Amino acid sequence: MLTELAYLAFIAAGALAVGNAARQPFHKTESRLEAFLVSSGLGFIILAAVVFILGILKLYTTPVFMAADAALLLLIALQLRKLAAIAVPDIGWLKDSPLVIKGVFAAFVAFAALNLIAAAAPPTSADALIHHLTAPKIYLSEHGIVNIPSLQLMTEAPMSVNMIYLYGLKLRNGKLAQMTAWYLSFLAALAVFMITAKITTKQAAAVAAALFATLPIFSVFSIRPYVDIPLA
């Protein structure tokens, strides 16, 4: 699990670095969390698009992926200070919050950790084994995106999130792809916090994010390499 966690941190940092670089021309005054979420989301969109284009060009080869890894590492290194500034969470508001809010926040963190542990298990869900991970594995073995007659309905137009899973499969294995799904779902929960905080207070936002993240359906989908919550 520790190896997969290290690779997950690399993917997350890489997406953050790509998105942060892409949004600089449109930079505006925003909170640290908003900058983090916008950069992460934009970064994953760009990474998915790049992986898709490489697949169309039949460039799913080890040298190409190694070059992509090196480019991501370089981009992370060049922006390390900026990334640290937006990635470190600001929880100063929690200090003066009521005890019940602190408890809600602790529950949110605990559920996120438990879901991560569950996501670190080998993939066993039907949809993942039928197409969400199977199609990317076939693409990798064929060095590009190809027609898969047995999965034509599911793979005629490859899903963008599946391109992220493909990268995880190439880097490590299905567990990393599944943990990436957890991370994307975690970002969705943080987005609920951010949006609610703009409308009301951070204390109310913590309750909203905790309610969202502790929904049974959220746990079911966040620990499996599906596209439902990550697309949000």
Side-chain angles (χ1 to χ4, degrees):
M1 179 178 175
L2 291 178
T3 303
E4 281 78 17
L5 276 174
Y7 277 113
L8 178 62
F10 169 68
I11 293 174
L16 183 63
V18 170
N20 189 59
R23 76 180 181 88
Q24 287 308 310
F26 314 99
H27 179 70
K28 64 177 184 177
T29 302
E30 55 195 353
S31 68
R32 188 186 304 176
L33 178 58
E34 187 173 358
F36 173 75
L37 289 174
V38 171
S39 295
S40 295
L42 182 58
F44 274 112
I45 290 172
I46 294 172
L47 287 179
V50 170
V51 173
F52 175 74
I53 292 170
L54 291 177
I56 294 296
L57 298 176
K58 301 295 190 292
L59 290 176
Y60 286 165
T61 63
T62 298
V64 170
F65 276 106
M66 289 180 66
D69 295 342
L72 278 182
L73 280 172
L74 179 60
L75 195 57
I76 293 170
L78 291 175
Q79 298 188 69
L80 195 57
R81 188 169 297 178
K82 291 181 180 178
L83 299 183
I86 62 175
V88 177
D90 177 15
I91 56 174
W93 58 271
L94 195 61
K95 182 179 179 181
D96 298 322
S97 298
L99 185 60
V100 65
I101 298 298
K102 293 178 181 177
V104 167
F105 181 81
F108 171 76
V109 173
F111 265 86
L114 290 173
N115 284 339
L116 175 58
I117 293 172
T124 58
S125 62
D127 280 5
L129 299 179
I130 291 173
H131 65 94
H132 288 306
L133 296 183
T134 299
K137 283 183 180 179
I138 294 174
Y139 296 154
L140 286 172
S141 67
E142 297 294 331
H143 306 297
I145 294 174
V146 296
N147 179 46
I148 308 174
S150 60
L151 296 174
Q152 190 168 12
L153 181 62
M154 304 294 184
T155 60
E156 193 69 32
M159 301 175 184
S160 58
V161 178
N162 284 356
M163 296 294 96
I164 300 297
Y165 297 157
L166 184 148
Y167 188 47
L169 287 169
K170 182 61 179 178
L171 278 175
R172 184 67 178 170
N173 52 32
K175 289 192 290 185
L176 177 58
Q178 192 160 257
M179 291 167 72
T180 305
W182 167 87
Y183 181 70
L184 292 170
S185 301
F186 179 69
L187 291 180
L190 291 182
V192 170
F193 175 89
M194 180 194 73
I195 294 170
T196 308
K198 285 188 172 185
I199 301 172
T200 58
T201 65
K202 289 185 177 179
Q203 287 75 14
V207 174
L211 287 174
F212 176 72
T214 54
L215 287 171
I217 193 64
F218 179 88
S219 293
V220 169
F221 280 78
S222 68
I223 64 174
R224 291 171 171 82
Y226 294 168
V227 299
D228 307 78
I229 296 179
L231 279 176

